[in-house]
Amino acid sequence: MNEKIFRVIEILPMQEGVSQRGAWKSQQIVVEEKVALPHPDRFLLRFGTEQVAMLADVKVGNEIKAMWTNAVRFFEKDGKKYYSQECNVWAVENVSSF
């Protein structure tokens, strides 16, 4: 489990669809770590179907405390292997808003 305080940089559009398992939603936000560095680390946090509702009160510029787990996703396309790291959020709290 990871837990940090971030500043919200961008809220990306929600994606929705239907799969064999049913309807799904996904939304991502770009956040910046709250540290006094010239170039703070940025992360892309992913919210799944059950977690999208947590973003209702989150706005660009807010400081949030996010709790997430990391997962490495693998897929193969045209004979090439691709990997991506996902930060799947399971809890978020507004710390302050601007």
Side-chain angles (χ1 to χ4, degrees), residues 2-95:
N2 298 293
E3 177 179 313
K4 287 189 180 181
I5 294 181
F6 297 106
R7 184 170 65 91
V8 178
I9 303 299
E10 186 176 356
I11 299 173
L12 301 175
M14 185 183 318
Q15 298 176 344
E16 299 180 72
V18 179
S19 70
Q20 292 177 344
R21 291 186 242 161
W24 59 269
K25 293 180 184 179
S26 179
Q27 191 162 13
Q28 297 177 329
I29 63 173
V30 179
V31 294
E32 186 173 78
E33 194 171 357
K34 187 181 176 186
V35 290
L37 295 173
H39 304 287
D41 289 336
R42 288 191 172 179
F43 295 88
L44 185 65
L45 300 181
R46 182 183 169 276
F47 294 75
T49 301
E50 293 82 24
Q51 293 80 23
V52 168
M54 290 189 285
L55 291 173
D57 296 329
V58 174
K59 307 286 183 239
V60 172
N62 284 16
E63 287 184 0
I64 60 169
K65 179 166 75 170
M67 281 90 27
W68 76 93
T69 55
N70 290 335
V72 175
R73 188 174 151 234
F74 162 79
F75 62 96
E76 198 167 332
K77 183 176 179 181
D78 299 328
K80 293 182 181 179
K81 294 180 182 180
Y82 296 91
Y83 297 89
S84 67
Q85 182 175 2
E86 293 183 348
C87 298
N88 297 306
V89 179
W90 54 270
V92 67
E93 299 172 13
N94 266 315
V95 175

